[in-house]
Amino acid sequence: MDLSSISPVLLVASIMVSATPILFAAIGELVVEKSGVLNLGVEGMMITGAVVGFAVAVNTESPLVGFVAAAVAGAVLSLAFGFLTQHLLSNQVATGLGLTLAGLGLSALIGKPYEGMKSPTLPKLDLGPLSDIPGVGKMVFSHDIMVYVSILLVAAVWAFLKFTRGGLILRAVGESHDSAHALGYKVVRVRMIAILFGGACAGLGGAYLSLVRVPQWTEGMTAGAGWIALAIVVFASWRPWRILIGAYLFGGVTVLQLNLQAAGAKVPVALLSASPYLITILVLVIISARGAHGAPASLGRVFHASN
Amino acid sequence: MLRLEKRPQPSREWTALSPLLAVALTMLVGGILFAILGANPFEAIRTIFWDPIFSEQFSGFTRPQLLVKAGPLILIAIGLSIGFKAGIWNIGAEGQYIMGAICGAGAGLAFYPSDSVLIFPLMLIAGALGGWAWAMIPAILKTKLGTNEILVSLMLVYVAETILASVASGLLRNPDGMGFPGSRNFKEWDAAFNSELITGTGMHWGVVAAFIAVIAAYVLMSRHIQGFNIRLTGEAPRAARFAGVNPTRIVILCLGISGALAGMAGMFEATGPAGQVSIDFNAGYGFTAIIVAFLGRLNPIGILLAGLLMALTYIGGELAQLMLGLPGAAIQLFQGMLLFFLLATDVFTNYRLRLTKKEAV
């Protein structure tokens, strides 16, 4: 095995790229869960975002339009979830699963003609002097715009939840929907907005996968990234900055195992390929053994304003 | 203004009616979808739901397929439904199905080319144990450490898939297969082959097991104290604890049953219709079974019917692919939509619509 073939600069750079899809999906799901809704359809919305983003980008030859379309597609799917769970009061676990299954089918259907095509990809940003810093410049400051958008999004969500009135209402709805309702807040409306935001973020994450990370469309290409995003929300104990840590950690594991495979490490390939999933389980175990605190108190409960 | 009012008791009529309404709605929206895809919607619906059973041209081949496809779906869904009743969400049945197939086939292949009558029963037990053991991972993590079983069981599907890829081209690879991945073909080994029991029906041991599971689940859930405990745990966890129901035991029991049944289904499939353990012998039954369980109202008899219906959409979907050139993924979407409409129409089971005058706030 030749570990010297792994360059640390490229390693960090590729970790940032491989973490970005999960980061988008996880920060969206964090907001959804903070409002007291458990949407297990992240995988379905992500893959739909991936295919719609890819298809639109190929047809318009503009990756940015692709990203917008992916966000819209994710939001539209999440609207179906929101309508079912918030207005028709269906079980959130079952509905989320249904969303994932439907999303996988839908994406395969839309994506068939696009298999094997190449998409236009995002240009790397030139951040002037920052990009010219030796080492660090190439590592951190020469990515495409979406990498920075995802980090800014984490900061924005953090600030929104912590400092704004809207964030306070959202958290109140998630902690105790009955009290929030009694105070006159529109529980269902707040949750619908959160669900739509989560859907749009998952769509962006999916599009990043198909437009930048891979960049190609293959059926089932998310391969559980949406589920890993859900696990990261638990890992982060529902705190925005920890989402960033979690996503980069998993990005790291993914990139490292690929690098080790390429370097011909004396570890079975199956074990390396399974490692992101195994580590997800391990992290969940450690978090839950510690006693997972921070889950919104109304998470997953059906709200019905009966008088 | 329309308002929802909670029913004191879930409506019995709507429990039975909402799956039918969901199927009707799915056909309607599916028809529109097929029209968009450029197929005649009436022809497409007929090809999917009618032709596999009644068409003179195809039914000879497709009718037996109904049981072949419904068998594993019912077997897995029965196990899942027991857990869902208790609020235990095993969504990794696909992984347990794969591990069951690997363990079952592996146990048999260890004795190749023995023709003992004990081979098949041994493989069955190994398959069930394989699925059971794979389900015990989330079960033990949940009971000992409180880890979320949804995420763990789902993650284990991907782990099982990498194990499958690894053994199909390594440990279990056919030594006479000229280096191609995939195990020995069980069709050429009578003692281990899960053959068709009655020619032309598609009935194999897996289908028999599915029928037995339906009956056993019915007895367990409606006549046995453990079945009552399971339902109680799902509907009122606190009350269950006061009544002395041990939640740990319920989790182990529910995940164990569903894992073992999924494992058996995998073993029956690998040694029968699929014929071998290959990299992609699994066809997503573990996920479709979730739809079957809900469509069947988590009720054994309902699951039997739902499994047959879902098998019909699989076969009809293949037929529509062949005859009308509809993409295979359209059927996957069709099945997902079915679950969605079912969950939507279910609102009438627990709530009633009331017309009210808008109140002044």
Side-chain angles (χ1 to χ4, degrees), chain B residues 282-296:
Chain B
N282 57 319
Y285 286 141
F287 291 116
T288 314
I290 298 172
I291 305 180
V292 172
F294 279 111
L295 192 62

Side-chain angles (χ1 to χ4, degrees), chain B residues 148-230:
Chain B
N148 183 317
E149 82 279 12
I150 301 177
L151 292 170
V152 173
S153 63
L154 195 276
M155 287 294 140
L156 286 171
V157 174
Y158 296 98
V159 178
E161 277 174 357
T162 57
I163 294 178
L164 174 65
S166 151
V167 297
S169 51
L171 193 63
L172 294 183
R173 192 178 62 194
N174 182 358
D176 307 328
M178 313 209 273
F180 283 110
S183 73
R184 279 183 195 281
N185 199 320
F186 288 95
K187 284 182 182 131
E188 291 151 15
W189 180 19
D190 288 337
F193 181 50
N194 173 20
S195 55
E196 202 176 24
L197 297 173
I198 308 165
T199 318
T201 56
M203 181 79 118
H204 62 69
W205 283 113
V207 181
V208 176
F211 286 135
I212 296 173
V214 169
I215 297 165
Y218 181 79
V219 173
L220 171 72
M221 294 312 280
S222 56
R223 292 277 177 274
H224 197 278
I225 181 70
Q226 284 301 350
F228 175 75
N229 288 345
I230 288 170

Side-chain angles (χ1 to χ4, degrees), chain B residues 46 51-52 54-63 319 323:
Chain B
R46 203 200 65 217
D51 282 357
F54 299 109
S55 149
E56 283 176 17
Q57 196 183 346
F58 309 112
S59 60
F61 171 72
T62 49
R63 221 178 280 163
L319 210 57
M323 301 303 297

Side-chain angles (χ1 to χ4, degrees), chain A residues 43 80 84 87-91 93-95 97-99 101-102 104-106 108-109 223-224 227-228 230-231 270 273-274 277-278 280-281 284-285 288-289 304 307, chain B residues 3-6 33 37 89 91 141 145-147 150-152 154-156 158-159 162 166 287 290-291 294 327 329-330 332-333 336-337 339-340 343-344 347 351 359:
Chain A
E43 178 88 359
L84 254 65
H87 293 284
L88 298 182
L89 309 165
S90 66
N91 179 312
V93 173
T95 314
L97 280 175
L99 187 65
L101 293 174
L104 288 170
L106 181 67
L109 187 62
W227 294 102
I228 290 180
L230 278 161
S273 324
Y277 310 110
L278 288 173
T280 306
I281 294 174
L284 284 172
V285 168
S288 53
H304 180 233
N307 30 353
Chain B
R3 201 166 58 83
L4 288 173
E5 186 183 272
K6 194 158 175 71
L33 175 80
L37 289 169
W89 300 94
I91 60 169
L141 291 179
L145 304 162
T147 314
I150 301 177
L151 292 170
V152 173
L154 195 276
M155 287 294 140
L156 286 171
Y158 296 98
V159 178
T162 57
S166 151
F287 291 116
I290 298 172
I291 305 180
F294 279 111
Q332 215 182 332
L333 177 60
M337 262 184 344
L339 177 55
F340 245 68
L343 292 166
V347 67
Y351 297 86
E359 294 166 47

